[in-house]
Amino acid sequence: MMKLTYKPLIKNIIGSISSDEIAGRAAKKLKNLHNFVKFEGKTEYEILIDLEDLMSSMVMQDQMRIFLTPMCICVRSNNSVEKSPCMLMNESDEIYEGLPRTDRCVGSKCKDSLFTPIHKNIIEQSYQFYENILENLENTDNILMLNIAKAEHRKYKSIYNSINQKSMG
């Protein structure tokens, strides 16, 4: 049952790796996983099937957790000793100890964040939002808001470009 729940999300991740439409801090470790399963003589399709099987196995053996959040896909290795920002606890959080809290997702600031075309619309909306702010704040004295908008615009532009490789190329 658990494998079936994760399968569509794992397939999305695998497809995004294959088409190089992947971004975020977890993208590098997943690309390394992709390189790990590459063997001479295998077709790209066979390599992707092996990668899907490996990721499914890691989820089933509780070595990796994958969560879909409104901000990104959370890909967390269970052997990671460093807590993600969403895992920082309050006294009332005992039930969640050791688990990511998707309602506290910080997106691209987290080492476990992954972006694929599944988040394309929200990333595009965020990118355009900050682009509009920059256009409207050209002659402003509000330096703080301008700096925040510039930083967020750069961040979302980079993510947006990475997950749109296929449509741009």
Side-chain angles (χ1 to χ4, degrees):
M1 176 70 167
M2 187 68 95
K3 186 175 180 181
L4 295 175
T5 304
Y6 284 97
K7 198 154 188 97
L9 194 52
I10 290 173
K11 283 186 174 293
N12 173 274
I13 293 169
I14 301 300
S16 298
I17 292 170
S18 173
S19 63
D20 200 28
E21 295 179 295
I22 193 168
R25 295 186 180 186
K28 184 177 179 181
K29 71 180 163 186
L30 290 173
K31 286 179 181 179
N32 288 341
L33 204 56
H34 180 245
N35 291 332
F36 174 76
V37 297
K38 282 188 175 182
F39 298 104
E40 285 189 39
K42 287 195 173 187
T43 66
E44 182 64 15
Y45 176 77
E46 292 170 322
I47 292 168
L48 293 175
I49 294 295
D50 286 351
L51 182 57
E52 182 180 330
D53 289 344
L54 177 61
M55 286 184 69
S56 294
S57 173
M58 291 174 77
V59 168
M60 293 301 295
Q61 295 174 18
D62 206 28
Q63 295 173 351
M64 175 190 291
R65 291 194 174 117
I66 302 173
F67 296 96
L68 181 61
T69 80
M71 301 283 289
C72 64
I73 299 171
C74 175
V75 181
R76 176 140 180 94
S77 297
N78 288 352
N79 63 356
S80 179
V81 293
E82 183 184 337
K83 287 191 175 188
S84 300
C86 67
M87 296 171 75
L88 300 178
M89 295 178 50
N90 297 327
E91 297 85 37
S92 63
D93 287 347
E94 289 178 25
I95 192 169
Y96 295 105
E97 189 170 351
L99 295 173
R101 292 275 311 264
T102 58
D103 61 320
R104 294 183 183 168
C105 181
V106 296
S108 66
K109 293 181 181 179
C110 180
K111 69 178 181 57
D112 300 322
S113 65
L114 179 70
F115 298 89
T116 71
I118 202 169
H119 286 94
K120 183 177 179 177
N121 291 338
I122 192 69
I123 296 298
E124 183 175 16
Q125 288 170 5
S126 298
Y127 172 66
Q128 289 175 346
F129 174 80
Y130 288 107
E131 190 167 66
N132 290 337
I133 286 179
L134 287 175
E135 288 173 7
N136 292 316
L137 287 179
E138 276 182 11
N139 300 315
T140 186
D141 292 333
N142 191 342
I143 301 301
L144 178 62
M145 186 62 185
L146 188 61
N147 288 339
I148 290 170
K150 283 179 182 178
E152 292 297 305
H153 183 261
R154 259 191 316 274
K155 174 178 68 177
Y156 285 113
K157 181 178 182 180
S158 172
I159 294 168
Y160 182 76
N161 288 340
S162 293
I163 64 175
N164 281 295
Q165 293 297 319
K166 202 181 258 184
S167 61
M168 293 172 66

